[in-house]
Amino acid sequence: MQSRDEEIHLLDYWRILSKRRGVAITFFCAVVGIVAVYLFSATPIYKGTAQLLFELERNQTLNFAEGGVAVIQMEDPSKYFNTQKEIVQSRAFADRVVRKLQLQNNPYFLKLKEKEKNNLWAVIDKEIKSIFPEKVKPANPFQDYRFKQEADPHLTNIVLGNIELEIGRQNNIMKISYYAANPGVAASVANGIAEAFIEHNLDIRVKPYRDAVEWLSARLVESRGMVLDTEKVLQQYKEGKGVVSFEAKENVITQQLQELISQLVQTESIRQEAEIRYNQLGSVIDNPDRLTTVPEVMNNLVIQGLRNEELNVKKQLSELSDKYGPKHPQVIKLHSQLDTVQKNIIAEARKMLNAAKTSHEIAKSRENSLRRTIDAQKQEVFNLTRKAIDFNVLAGESESNRRFYELLLKKYQEASLSSGINISNVQIVDSAVMPGSPVKPKKGSSFLLAVMVGIFGGVSAAFFTDYMDDTIKTAEDVDKKLDLPFLGVVPLTNGKHGPIFMTSDPKSAIAESFRTIRTGLMLSSAAKQLKVILVTSATPNEGKTTTAANLAVAMSQMGERVLIVDGDMRRHNLHELFGLNNELGISDVIMDYGNLSKAIISTDKHPNLDIISAGMQAPNPSELLGSEKMKEFIAQMRERYDRVILDSPPIFAFSDSLILSSLADGVIIVVWGGKTSRDIIQKSMQPLKGISAKILGAVLNKIDTTRKDSYYYPYYSYYYSDSKGKKKKNI
């Protein structure tokens, strides 16, 4: 089932394309025709191409690192080539080409210049400017600045507009192409551009070095003077301070200071020892018993002898005291001898104390002297350091100026050497030759492209036209766009028969279409309730009266008693279709019901069919159709006839159809196929739906089924071929 739907979908596209083939063919012919005219009338353009080879290993920049070391840096190739392309496409370079080739004197370019001045846009611009007053140019505040003038701005524009640059497959190849209507001009200018680029490239490479030589030369003179000045100031400073070398003198003074500090440390140690000895002796000098606790005292030989003597005396005194008692002369004599020995010990200790005092004072005096000497030496070091600082500042400035001078001198020598370079990193590897055939316009590819655009554009235009076509043309449109049942299609008449085709041409496709509509209505589930049927349309001239008349005849031919009433009192023409008079009609019946028998017309040509025309021109058709007498008339006609067909005015124009639809059992809407838009029909149905009128469906009228792009051509081709007397099968 799915594959079947897809097949139908594709067939629908083909049907749309077949139907709109006129639009597609017109679009195709227009595109191909315009392109063909352009291709055969356009001036042929030739292309001359020269190829340049870039030696990237020479594509270097010279920089100076810290210390004056020259460093060579390689540039990124893509960035480099983009820069070169910008140079070639600049106005300054184009002006250089104009001057080099002297294009201002070339007849070919002079003709192009005149053509550019007199082209359409230039003329329009000139005319527009002539309308408006010319604005006063503001004064230039930089009167002394001289702008570089181009040889000829128009020629510069021409050169820039015809240059084409392309990077070859190899990254070091650049193609320079020039387009011209003359093959010789294309080749010559391409070669001229290549030569001018080599010259320009060499100038760019050499100019920075030449500028650097000029600048470095001036800086060298200044730097040399600064070196001489700082050297003189440094020498004068050394002579004024009387110093040959600050470093040597500073080393001597520093060494002397270190020796004095070492002596001071030793002297402080001696002084501290003397002070300790002096303090120890001083603390026990008046206590003979404690003198023995001082090691230095006990080490004294004199005191040792006196101490031994004291011990002997004490021993004798102890023995005699025990033997003779304390008052014995010998004991008293020993006491006196003991006092003398102890006094001698103290006297000797005092001598040692005085000697320690003297040693302490000498050590202290020496220490103070060394401290004064060290302070003086430090001051001398500080003074020398301050002098050395000033000297180092002057010496550093002198050294800096000297190094800067040497660096400038080295750069000057390198720049002088580089300024003499006359070798470019670009060379022509393939000069442009005179082209044998034009490159524009490309007739073959352009014509093929035009055909492709014409085909696809024509198809798109066909589908777009169909998409924008909002008219109702097919049964599918009725179903999807109007949401109505499809009753049938009435082919477009050729004007030879009719308008009552059911009798004038009963074997025609039109007569058969009305039979189909009749059969559909009579076989519907609500056929018995469809006693009164209203036939109307959205707009005038859609064929509702013809449809109503033929449908009434078709039903009468089935043996039903049928009455057709012309309810269009404003533009009544039902009587003309049947060839009757309009002396009495429905308007007369409503105003005087006694006219009913006279108003009903029967003809032998149409058995079982009665006709009531519109009658006289009524001043108030809507009031008459909505009157109670009209309702009574319809009710009586329901009893007398099997079918009552009401022809009414268009819905969109008058309210008569709404009034009649309330009296009918169903409404048939006639649509002029391919003419009436969906929006109009939908708006016309809204009032019918608003009063709950039963819409039976839509009839597509005036469909041209003879065209092969018609949706109904396969179904109706049999009838038309048969009518022409040809034995033609259904296609």
PDB file of all heavy atoms in Angstrom, residues 224 463 566:
ATOM      1  N   ARG A 224      80.160  57.632  19.404  1.00  0.00           N
ATOM      2  CA  ARG A 224      81.607  57.813  19.558  1.00  0.00           C
ATOM      3  C   ARG A 224      81.912  59.015  20.435  1.00  0.00           C
ATOM      4  O   ARG A 224      82.797  58.982  21.311  1.00  0.00           O
ATOM      5  CB  ARG A 224      82.256  57.969  18.177  1.00  0.00           C
ATOM      6  CG  ARG A 224      83.772  58.027  18.190  1.00  0.00           C
ATOM      7  CD  ARG A 224      84.320  57.994  16.772  1.00  0.00           C
ATOM      8  NE  ARG A 224      85.766  58.019  16.768  1.00  0.00           N
ATOM      9  CZ  ARG A 224      86.516  59.131  16.849  1.00  0.00           C
ATOM     10  NH1 ARG A 224      85.908  60.330  16.917  1.00  0.00           N
ATOM     11  NH2 ARG A 224      87.833  59.070  16.840  1.00  0.00           N
ATOM     12  N   PHE A 463       6.471  24.170 -10.675  1.00  0.00           N
ATOM     13  CA  PHE A 463       5.932  23.788  -9.371  1.00  0.00           C
ATOM     14  C   PHE A 463       5.525  25.006  -8.555  1.00  0.00           C
ATOM     15  O   PHE A 463       4.528  24.975  -7.824  1.00  0.00           O
ATOM     16  CB  PHE A 463       6.960  22.956  -8.600  1.00  0.00           C
ATOM     17  CG  PHE A 463       7.012  21.521  -9.041  1.00  0.00           C
ATOM     18  CD1 PHE A 463       8.063  21.054  -9.816  1.00  0.00           C
ATOM     19  CD2 PHE A 463       6.002  20.634  -8.699  1.00  0.00           C
ATOM     20  CE1 PHE A 463       8.117  19.740 -10.234  1.00  0.00           C
ATOM     21  CE2 PHE A 463       6.050  19.315  -9.113  1.00  0.00           C
ATOM     22  CZ  PHE A 463       7.101  18.862  -9.885  1.00  0.00           C
ATOM     23  N   ASP A 566     -36.444  28.815 -11.996  1.00  0.00           N
ATOM     24  CA  ASP A 566     -35.410  29.848 -12.110  1.00  0.00           C
ATOM     25  C   ASP A 566     -35.541  30.788 -10.910  1.00  0.00           C
ATOM     26  O   ASP A 566     -36.368  31.709 -10.910  1.00  0.00           O
ATOM     27  CB  ASP A 566     -35.566  30.601 -13.428  1.00  0.00           C
ATOM     28  CG  ASP A 566     -34.385  31.522 -13.698  1.00  0.00           C
ATOM     29  OD1 ASP A 566     -33.517  31.641 -12.799  1.00  0.00           O
ATOM     30  OD2 ASP A 566     -34.311  32.108 -14.800  1.00  0.00           O
TER      31      ASP A 566
END
